[in-house]
Amino acid sequence: MDYVLEFRGIRKEYPGTVALDSFSAGFTGGKVHALVGKNGSGKSTTIKILSGAVKPTRGELFFDGNLVEIQSPSDALEKGIATVYQELSLIPELSIAENIGLGRLPTKGGVITRVDWSTLSRRAEESLAMMGVSIPVDPPVRTLSVGQQQVVEIAKAMSFNPKVLILDEPTSALAQHEVKSLFEIVRRLRDQGVTIIYISHRLQELYQVADTVTVLRDGQLVGNLDIENATTERIVDMMFGEVVTSGRPHTEPGSEPVLSVEGLQRDRWFKDVSFVLHRGEILGIAGMLGSGRSELLRSIYGADPLDGGTISFGEYSGGRPSLRWMKAQGLGLTPENRKDAGLIQNHTVHENLTLAAVKRISPSGIRNRKKEEEAVARQVDRLDIILSSSEAVISSLSGGNQQKVVIGNWLNDDPRVLFFDEPSRGIDVAAKQHIFRIIWDLSAEGISSLFVSTELEELLEVCHRILIMRNGTISEEVHPEEITLAQLYERCMED
């Protein structure tokens, strides 16, 4: 078979991990090829290799039957491979035309050159027309909806006349009517002969737009399916395989409510969210990217505003929580991005372990170094934090030990409830299991947890109860012992 794009034995190693292992797959021209797999399966690495962002450790890549080496993103574009990432790279204050032609503005004039605005506008209109889109190209991008911005991003990629277009989670932030429009554009480009690699976690979308499905698991190719042979159940089984979890300790949460929320709403993110968290309970929130999980945690904590609903926690009851008040009531949040939001990278381990508890350790406002050292030593021992010295800079620690420091910082403030947002992101298996044991130990001590993870198997392993969040609402409640991973994944998929 003649492939436009073919991987042969591709392997990509990073320190301590193999992201792709002997990956071989071919993609024919003029089709939409869906590339799917759970987090950590190797999808992102595949994209980065194709786009020139990283180089494979070994293996061969063929393009139009010729062996190629993609040296950089600009080299990929020159060869005819364009990528549209999930995070858009448009400049809001520039016009649509300027964004599409960014870095390649046409000029005119002799000794003194200037931008040829009419040519720029004409080229932008042609790129949009190729996709069947007709919108003014003069307004700034910030005036567009997210869906329209996605269209501009694709037009920008198509202005390079690529033979292969990679779309990374293109519908993750789009409304339903915008998704429909995007699919029409994708099908139009396919019919023009463009080969499209389509990455999505929304499996139900694939039946509307894809011709084939390629499944990755743990850095390896599991298989390829034509879309007519690809049932959702079959794809999920290929993505996850046989999953074995170590299981939760046999400790049951108490019946005492410690946190309750009713009718919470934040425009664009979630609506009518209600639940009760009990003493010592580990309550999971399952959902796909963009379902509103992290945003819900941040709003309850007081980091982001609420547009409606009420929260009852300790002495607080209302709809406008503040960070200071919720912290004082005993709530802590370990954020999704520990590097930027959970730690101060140029500070020491000692300093990072005592940030949340400054007032508790030194209530007079005068720093009590002895009590700080006692608090630091307590958490280093309790959480088994591996470090050369508590005076080491936090950035010198491994990801798993940094995550333990984030948790230990909050434990020094004696919390009643902890929010864990993606606590295992970017850490190895051993560190992940240690953090799960920490959460179980906290549960046994009566500390409640709200647990969010993209890795759905973690929710089955860690939590007493799981809320499923779809399209910004809680759709149902399940118990880990009553549901399989494949069933949980299917129930999380948005309509």
Side-chain angles (χ1 to χ4, degrees):
M1 183 179 292
D2 293 330
Y3 294 121
V4 168
L5 195 63
E6 185 181 7
F7 295 84
R8 293 185 187 174
I10 295 290
R11 181 179 177 88
K12 179 58 184 178
E13 300 174 0
Y14 292 101
T17 187
V18 177
L20 279 179
D21 187 11
S22 302
F23 176 57
S24 298
F27 302 94
T28 53
K31 289 186 177 181
V32 178
H33 301 277
L35 184 64
V36 301
K38 67 173 186 172
N39 277 16
S41 63
K43 303 190 304 294
S44 296
T45 302
T46 303
I47 296 170
K48 290 175 182 177
I49 290 172
L50 273 181
S51 65
V54 301
K55 295 181 181 179
T57 305
R58 63 171 176 264
E60 298 175 321
L61 180 63
F62 289 81
F63 187 53
D64 268 344
N66 300 312
L67 179 65
V68 296
E69 290 186 10
I70 303 176
Q71 303 293 335
S72 65
S74 59
D75 186 30
L77 285 170
E78 289 176 8
K79 285 182 167 63
I81 302 172
T83 304
V84 176
Y85 291 99
Q86 182 178 358
E87 298 296 330
L88 303 183
S89 59
L90 303 174
I91 301 176
E93 299 305 320
L94 294 185
S95 70
I96 295 169
E98 288 171 303
N99 272 281
I100 291 175
L102 196 62
R104 299 163 292 136
L105 300 180
T107 59
K108 62 182 179 181
V111 178
I112 301 176
T113 60
R114 59 189 184 277
V115 175
D116 187 343
W117 296 107
S118 61
T119 298
L120 177 67
S121 295
R122 177 176 52 79
R123 290 179 180 176
E125 289 167 353
E126 289 172 353
S127 294
L128 290 165
M130 179 192 303
M131 303 188 306
V133 176
S134 177
I135 58 175
V137 297
D138 296 325
V141 160
R142 61 176 168 76
T143 64
L144 303 179
S145 69
V146 176
Q148 290 173 321
Q149 289 184 33
Q150 182 74 268
V151 169
V152 172
E153 191 76 82
I154 296 173
K156 178 181 173 182
M158 291 307 302
S159 69
F160 289 90
N161 296 314
K163 194 162 188 176
V164 173
L165 176 65
I166 304 166
L167 298 177
D168 182 16
E169 299 284 0
T171 64
S172 61
L174 302 189
Q176 193 60 45
H177 70 279
E178 293 173 323
V179 170
K180 183 178 179 181
S181 298
L182 176 69
F183 288 167
E184 291 174 357
I185 291 170
V186 170
R187 286 189 285 263
R188 185 183 182 97
L189 294 176
R190 175 198 62 190
D191 294 343
Q192 293 173 9
V194 179
T195 300
I196 297 172
I197 310 296
Y198 187 95
I199 295 89
S200 179
H201 66 274
R202 296 174 170 173
L203 299 188
Q204 74 278 10
E205 291 182 354
L206 307 187
Y207 302 100
Q208 301 177 59
V209 73
D211 298 300
T212 72
V213 181
T214 298
V215 183
L216 280 165
R217 185 173 74 230
D218 299 329
Q220 297 181 324
L221 174 70
V222 178
N224 298 292
L225 300 171
D226 290 332
I227 195 64
E228 56 266 24
N229 300 322
T231 64
T232 300
E233 183 179 7
R234 188 174 182 185
I235 295 173
V236 171
D237 285 343
M238 292 171 71
M239 287 170 58
F240 291 98
E242 185 177 352
V243 178
V244 179
T245 61
S246 59
R248 304 174 310 287
H250 298 293
T251 56
E252 292 299 323
S255 59
E256 174 194 349
V258 293
L259 169 70
S260 62
V261 303
E262 185 172 353
L264 295 189
Q265 179 171 327
R266 183 182 170 204
D267 288 348
R268 286 190 63 242
W269 292 111
F270 53 85
K271 58 186 176 181
D272 196 26
V273 171
S274 301
F275 64 83
V276 175
L277 177 66
H278 300 93
R279 186 177 187 274
E281 183 179 26
I282 306 169
L283 178 61
I285 301 182
M288 298 301 180
L289 293 171
S291 62
R293 304 160 308 164
S294 295
E295 292 75 18
L296 176 63
L297 264 59
R298 287 178 55 84
S299 292
I300 296 173
Y301 183 60
D304 291 330
L306 282 168
D307 296 315
T310 58
I311 299 170
S312 296
F313 179 54
E315 297 178 4
Y316 177 79
S317 181
R320 295 184 179 275
S322 70
L323 288 166
R324 179 175 297 179
W325 183 260
M326 298 305 275
K327 180 177 178 293
Q329 295 299 302
L331 180 60
L333 168 67
T334 69
E336 180 180 16
N337 185 344
R338 64 173 173 268
K339 181 178 179 181
D340 296 332
L343 300 165
I344 302 177
Q345 290 293 315
N346 60 356
H347 282 203
T348 65
V349 174
H350 176 111
E351 292 165 325
N352 276 282
L353 272 170
T354 54
L355 283 171
V358 167
K359 288 187 177 181
R360 183 178 295 273
I361 294 171
S362 305
S364 66
I366 300 174
R367 186 175 181 186
N368 190 323
R369 181 75 184 186
K370 182 181 178 181
K371 284 190 175 181
E372 285 184 2
E373 289 174 350
E374 291 172 353
V376 168
R378 182 167 58 250
Q379 299 308 332
V380 168
D381 180 63
R382 178 183 190 180
L383 306 180
D384 193 23
I385 301 172
I386 308 300
L387 72 170
S388 58
S389 165
S390 63
E391 296 305 316
V393 177
I394 190 69
S395 58
S396 67
L397 271 60
S398 68
N401 283 296
Q402 286 189 32
Q403 185 68 11
K404 292 178 188 177
V405 170
V406 174
I407 297 170
N409 176 41
W410 283 110
L411 292 182
N412 273 328
D413 199 39
D414 197 20
R416 294 192 300 136
V417 174
L418 277 176
F419 287 179
F420 292 94
D421 193 359
E422 302 286 0
S424 66
R425 174 168 290 175
I427 63 177
D428 61 35
V429 173
K432 181 185 299 188
Q433 287 299 316
H434 195 160
I435 285 171
F436 293 169
R437 286 196 296 272
I438 290 168
I439 297 173
W440 292 329
D441 289 343
L442 295 176
S443 170
E445 295 172 18
I447 297 175
S448 308
S449 299
L450 201 57
F451 186 98
V452 164
S453 177
T454 307
E455 307 291 343
L456 298 182
E457 58 266 45
E458 294 182 359
L459 299 175
L460 295 176
E461 183 173 357
V462 175
C463 301
H464 294 107
R465 187 164 54 105
I466 301 170
L467 304 177
I468 296 177
M469 199 165 185
R470 296 168 53 183
N471 296 312
T473 63
I474 303 297
S475 61
E476 62 180 308
E477 172 189 314
V478 298
H479 290 82
E481 60 273 12
E482 298 171 356
I483 192 170
T484 68
L485 178 60
Q487 290 169 338
L488 181 59
Y489 189 91
E490 289 187 49
R491 295 190 192 185
C492 286
M493 290 190 298
E494 297 176 8
D495 297 328

